[in-house]
mmCIF file of all heavy atoms in Angstrom:
data_model
loop_
_atom_site.group_PDB
_atom_site.id
_atom_site.type_symbol
_atom_site.label_atom_id
_atom_site.label_comp_id
_atom_site.label_asym_id
_atom_site.label_seq_id
_atom_site.Cartn_x
_atom_site.Cartn_y
_atom_site.Cartn_z
ATOM 1 N N TYR A 553 -27.314 23.896 0.639
ATOM 2 C CA TYR A 553 -26.052 23.317 0.599
ATOM 3 C C TYR A 553 -25.293 23.754 -0.703
ATOM 4 O O TYR A 553 -25.755 23.842 -1.734
ATOM 5 C CB TYR A 553 -25.988 21.792 0.542
ATOM 6 C CG TYR A 553 -26.246 21.152 1.896
ATOM 7 C CD1 TYR A 553 -26.857 19.931 1.986
ATOM 8 C CD2 TYR A 553 -25.808 21.705 3.030
ATOM 9 C CE1 TYR A 553 -27.103 19.344 3.142
ATOM 10 C CE2 TYR A 553 -25.956 21.039 4.299
ATOM 11 C CZ TYR A 553 -26.611 19.917 4.317
ATOM 12 O OH TYR A 553 -26.855 19.262 5.514
ATOM 13 N N ILE A 554 -23.955 24.185 -0.475
ATOM 14 C CA ILE A 554 -23.133 24.577 -1.506
ATOM 15 C C ILE A 554 -21.853 23.725 -1.486
ATOM 16 O O ILE A 554 -21.295 23.484 -0.430
ATOM 17 C CB ILE A 554 -22.695 26.099 -1.303
ATOM 18 C CG1 ILE A 554 -23.913 26.991 -1.137
ATOM 19 C CG2 ILE A 554 -21.628 26.577 -2.387
ATOM 20 C CD1 ILE A 554 -24.252 27.819 -2.363
ATOM 21 N N MET A 555 -21.401 23.263 -2.658
ATOM 22 C CA MET A 555 -20.106 22.576 -2.783
ATOM 23 C C MET A 555 -19.209 23.461 -3.565
ATOM 24 O O MET A 555 -19.567 24.016 -4.617
ATOM 25 C CB MET A 555 -20.432 21.296 -3.553
ATOM 26 C CG MET A 555 -19.184 20.561 -3.860
ATOM 27 S SD MET A 555 -19.465 19.137 -5.037
ATOM 28 C CE MET A 555 -19.592 20.012 -6.593
ATOM 29 N N ALA A 556 -17.937 23.579 -3.085
ATOM 30 C CA ALA A 556 -17.015 24.352 -3.935
ATOM 31 C C ALA A 556 -15.939 23.344 -4.464
ATOM 32 O O ALA A 556 -15.508 22.489 -3.781
ATOM 33 C CB ALA A 556 -16.267 25.379 -2.957
ATOM 34 N N THR A 557 -15.670 23.567 -5.763
ATOM 35 C CA THR A 557 -14.654 22.717 -6.315
ATOM 36 C C THR A 557 -13.447 23.658 -6.570
ATOM 37 O O THR A 557 -13.541 24.702 -7.295
ATOM 38 C CB THR A 557 -15.072 22.086 -7.748
ATOM 39 O OG1 THR A 557 -15.646 23.122 -8.545
ATOM 40 C CG2 THR A 557 -16.152 21.048 -7.518
ATOM 41 N N MET A 558 -12.339 23.348 -6.015
ATOM 42 C CA MET A 558 -11.084 24.173 -6.091
ATOM 43 C C MET A 558 -10.068 23.213 -6.816
ATOM 44 O O MET A 558 -9.537 22.302 -6.248
ATOM 45 C CB MET A 558 -10.532 24.563 -4.811
ATOM 46 C CG MET A 558 -11.500 25.467 -3.988
ATOM 47 S SD MET A 558 -10.954 25.806 -2.364
ATOM 48 C CE MET A 558 -9.531 26.862 -2.657
ATOM 49 N N PHE A 559 -9.784 23.474 -8.102
ATOM 50 C CA PHE A 559 -8.950 22.682 -8.910
ATOM 51 C C PHE A 559 -7.737 23.429 -9.340
ATOM 52 O O PHE A 559 -7.842 24.401 -10.122
ATOM 53 C CB PHE A 559 -9.772 22.130 -10.134
ATOM 54 C CG PHE A 559 -10.544 20.895 -9.778
ATOM 55 C CD1 PHE A 559 -11.451 20.879 -8.673
ATOM 56 C CD2 PHE A 559 -10.288 19.724 -10.475
ATOM 57 C CE1 PHE A 559 -12.183 19.742 -8.348
ATOM 58 C CE2 PHE A 559 -10.970 18.574 -10.137
ATOM 59 C CZ PHE A 559 -12.012 18.556 -9.109
ATOM 60 N N TYR A 560 -6.619 22.993 -8.859
ATOM 61 C CA TYR A 560 -5.336 23.570 -9.117
ATOM 62 C C TYR A 560 -4.619 22.874 -10.275
ATOM 63 O O TYR A 560 -3.429 23.108 -10.562
ATOM 64 C CB TYR A 560 -4.431 23.606 -7.924
ATOM 65 C CG TYR A 560 -4.812 24.609 -6.855
ATOM 66 C CD1 TYR A 560 -5.934 24.223 -6.003
ATOM 67 C CD2 TYR A 560 -4.183 25.778 -6.611
ATOM 68 C CE1 TYR A 560 -6.327 25.064 -5.029
ATOM 69 C CE2 TYR A 560 -4.683 26.609 -5.663
ATOM 70 C CZ TYR A 560 -5.721 26.274 -4.809
ATOM 71 O OH TYR A 560 -6.109 27.147 -3.819
ATOM 72 N N GLU A 561 -5.297 21.717 -10.741
ATOM 73 C CA GLU A 561 -4.678 20.949 -11.802
ATOM 74 C C GLU A 561 -5.882 20.661 -12.814
ATOM 75 O O GLU A 561 -6.987 20.656 -12.415
ATOM 76 C CB GLU A 561 -4.199 19.659 -11.298
ATOM 77 C CG GLU A 561 -2.738 19.616 -10.799
ATOM 78 C CD GLU A 561 -2.277 18.189 -10.645
ATOM 79 O OE1 GLU A 561 -3.015 17.191 -10.475
ATOM 80 O OE2 GLU A 561 -1.049 18.108 -10.637
ATOM 81 N N PRO A 562 -5.588 20.420 -14.061
ATOM 82 C CA PRO A 562 -6.627 20.191 -15.016
ATOM 83 C C PRO A 562 -7.420 19.017 -14.755
ATOM 84 O O PRO A 562 -7.076 18.035 -14.018
ATOM 85 C CB PRO A 562 -5.845 19.899 -16.351
ATOM 86 C CG PRO A 562 -4.462 20.396 -16.185
ATOM 87 C CD PRO A 562 -4.193 20.337 -14.678
ATOM 88 N N SER A 563 -8.718 19.057 -15.251
ATOM 89 C CA SER A 563 -9.684 17.944 -15.015
ATOM 90 C C SER A 563 -10.887 18.079 -16.011
ATOM 91 O O SER A 563 -11.230 19.251 -16.334
ATOM 92 C CB SER A 563 -10.236 18.087 -13.567
ATOM 93 O OG SER A 563 -11.346 17.192 -13.373
ATOM 94 N N THR A 564 -11.370 16.980 -16.382
ATOM 95 C CA THR A 564 -12.620 17.088 -17.099
ATOM 96 C C THR A 564 -13.679 16.271 -16.408
ATOM 97 O O THR A 564 -14.661 16.828 -15.958
ATOM 98 C CB THR A 564 -12.450 16.366 -18.629
ATOM 99 O OG1 THR A 564 -11.379 17.127 -19.326
ATOM 100 C CG2 THR A 564 -13.702 16.322 -19.377
#
Side-chain angles (χ1 to χ4, degrees):
Y553 280 151
I554 303 258
M555 175 189 76
T557 51
M558 296 175 70
F559 275 55
Y560 291 77
E561 275 196 336
S563 167
T564 300

